[in-house]
DNA sequence: CTCGAAATCAAACGACCGTTTGAATCCTAT
DNA sequence: ATAGGATTCAAACGGTCGTTTGATTTCGAG
């Protein structure tokens, strides 16, 4: 067992990942060069290729570092919710809260760089093609399946097609809320943000999403499905 | 008056814009080189700089070409709605429909490249810093203000702060729905998409968003506001 | 103390970037 | 028919990109 594990376990790796999170968020993947990145991280230019192999591999490592714990937290929240219910079926709003809380918690972690990541994540949803997109989908697959089942139990009368779309809308609301920074200011005029109040944002999101998911299914849609 | 106006009015310009829409959507702004772009458009490498001045100016022209008519349509829909109401106040769901219909119409225009643009637009919402972001905000400002007033009239009891956030959520749902392609498939398993049915998607979106906007305002949020 | 793997470093690689140039070509108004 | 502006073209500009190399330094295990 090496002492390295206590002193600088992967110091260089971590510094690179932190700098990458910030710069990728600000300028995108292609807009951030290895030279800017390594310079900001205070490491040698070759360090990224030495520790990660390539820029693309760095991106993958960056997503895994945050997404794995966040998705584990989502599963854990749902586990706890269903355990507490003792046979009763958790309602849609509780399930929604279990889903959004881990990302809000990450967003509130400004110091730790979580906020940078969560915005970067929101951006990446809409980046097409790229293996990045595929990786995220793969990392999310299990979580999505679990929550889909939970919501089906909470809304037993809703056609599956409709539920799938409403989950899609929910992901959209969440990722956009986390990623887009200034739209609220655009709408509000120049109001100061209260986005930083995690608890308040959770209330707003939960109310909006729960109402949306619970909305009555129109007859025209029912017929088409 | 030149005959050019009937034959190839701005043929090169149009070909460039069309190719740019497709390639920017697939690979992003920085991921698309002038060489790939001009090659796809079938024009000379120097054509972009000759007709638009620079790559950035091309991006701006690209947004203006689609956004100006779409936002005009949004204003027109709202005008018509309020005229038809004859003094009565249009309800939230009607206002929502007036807002989303122009973008759905654009999305359905797959042949004309509207779908490419609408996805690109969804991407650009979350691109930070860049003048692009600023330009979009500027092009949207008037529309946002009009719809904010209309929704305030439709929901007179809602605190402004809450309404602003719910509009933010609405923009998120819409832009994500338009931009993200494969999330529905991820949720559904491997279901074939019915996204192409514009009318059906409008129904789903309107139901979800109307319920979300009309959701009761929780007491905790009221106090904080 | 010493050896060898792990890590860091400066330097260079070829490829591609957005833009500019100046000549060649097209096309319309005279 | 022709002058002259608008457009297209091949070629080149300086710079930056991600990655690789081979020497050098660091540092814990024997």
């Amino acid at each position: 067992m090496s002492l390295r594990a206590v002193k600088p376990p992967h110091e260089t790796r971590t510094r690179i990942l932190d700098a990458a999170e910030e710069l990728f968020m600000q300028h995108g993947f292609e807009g951030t060069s290895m030279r800017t990145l390594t310079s900001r991280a205070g490491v040698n230019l070759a360090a990224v290729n030495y520790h990660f192999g390539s820029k693309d591999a760095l991106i993958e490592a960056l997503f895994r570092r945050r997404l794995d714990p966040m998705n584990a937290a989502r599963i854990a929240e749902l586990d706890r919710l269903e355990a507490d219910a003792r046979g009763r079926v958790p309602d849609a709003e509780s399930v929604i809260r279990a889903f959004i809380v881990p990302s809000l918690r990450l967003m509130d972690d400004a110091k730790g760089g979580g906020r940078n990541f969560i915005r970067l994540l929101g951006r990446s949803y809409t980046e097409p093609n790229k293996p990045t997109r595929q990786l995220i989908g793969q990392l999310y697959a299990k979580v999505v399946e679990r929550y889909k089942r939970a919501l089906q139990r909470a809304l037993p009368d809703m056609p599956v097609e409709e539920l799938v779309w409403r989950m899609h809308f929910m992901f959209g609301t969440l990722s956009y809320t986390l990623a887009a920074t200034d739209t609220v200011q655009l709408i509000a005029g120049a109001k100061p943000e209260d986005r930083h109040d995690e608890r308040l944002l959770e209330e707003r999101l939960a109310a909006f999403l729960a109402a949306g998911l619970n909305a009555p299914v129109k007859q025209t849609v029912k017929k088409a499905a």
Side-chain angles (χ1 to χ4, degrees), chain A:
Chain A
M1 185 53 52
S2 67
L3 275 182
R4 143 122 22 106
V6 255
K7 279 299 190 50
H10 293 304
E11 234 227 76
T12 303
R13 280 182 64 102
T14 305
R15 291 161 66 110
I16 291 175
L17 285 169
D18 290 343
E21 226 162 41
E22 179 178 352
L23 292 174
F24 285 162
M25 189 270 287
Q26 287 172 5
H27 310 110
F29 298 125
E30 325 232 26
T32 304
S33 74
M34 305 289 275
R35 284 161 182 85
T36 325
L37 170 53
T38 51
S39 163
R40 167 71 64 98
V43 302
N44 186 270
L45 169 61
V48 171
N49 291 279
Y50 177 78
H51 285 281
F52 298 92
S54 71
K55 191 181 184 178
D56 284 337
L58 165 65
I59 295 176
E60 171 163 348
L62 186 149
F63 276 104
R64 287 190 181 276
R65 176 174 73 151
R66 301 281 190 186
L67 233 42
D68 287 343
M70 190 176 82
N71 280 335
R74 286 195 163 125
I75 298 290
E77 292 276 342
L78 196 49
D79 282 342
R80 195 177 52 76
L81 191 65
E82 290 175 342
D84 288 356
R86 299 178 175 278
R88 290 274 297 151
V89 172
D91 65 5
E93 178 164 340
S94 309
V95 176
I96 291 170
R97 285 179 190 269
F99 186 83
I100 65 179
V101 158
S103 35
L104 290 180
R105 199 124 56 206
L106 198 51
M107 194 185 73
D108 229 37
D109 170 38
K111 274 277 168 47
R115 176 185 293 262
N116 283 337
F117 173 75
I118 211 75
R119 291 207 199 146
L120 180 59
L121 183 61
R123 292 191 67 177
S124 309
Y125 282 130
T126 52
E127 290 208 17
N129 279 344
K130 291 272 183 177
T132 302
R133 190 75 195 74
Q134 192 179 349
L135 171 71
I136 297 181
Q138 168 190 330
L139 293 180
Y140 262 109
K142 282 203 180 69
V143 180
V144 166
E145 194 49 42
R146 263 300 293 278
Y147 275 82
K148 183 180 168 187
R149 282 202 305 270
L151 286 174
Q152 277 186 278
R153 280 194 293 268
L155 307 165
D157 294 334
M158 183 172 300
V160 205
E161 295 85 358
E162 187 68 22
L163 176 64
V164 165
W165 275 102
R166 292 188 179 184
M167 288 182 66
H168 181 71
F169 298 155
M170 178 175 88
F171 294 155
T173 308
L174 184 58
S175 87
Y176 182 88
T177 299
L178 301 174
T181 45
D182 40 7
T183 323
V184 175
Q185 293 183 17
L186 170 68
I187 306 171
K191 268 299 186 64
E193 298 214 16
D194 52 9
R195 151 189 308 268
H196 302 283
D197 188 335
E198 178 198 330
R199 179 69 195 164
L200 188 53
L201 184 52
E202 179 189 338
E203 293 304 324
R204 295 199 206 275
L205 267 171
F208 182 88
L209 293 175
L213 276 181
N214 281 304
V217 179
K218 307 202 174 183
Q219 209 53 35
T220 49
V221 177
K222 264 194 184 140
K223 277 188 301 187

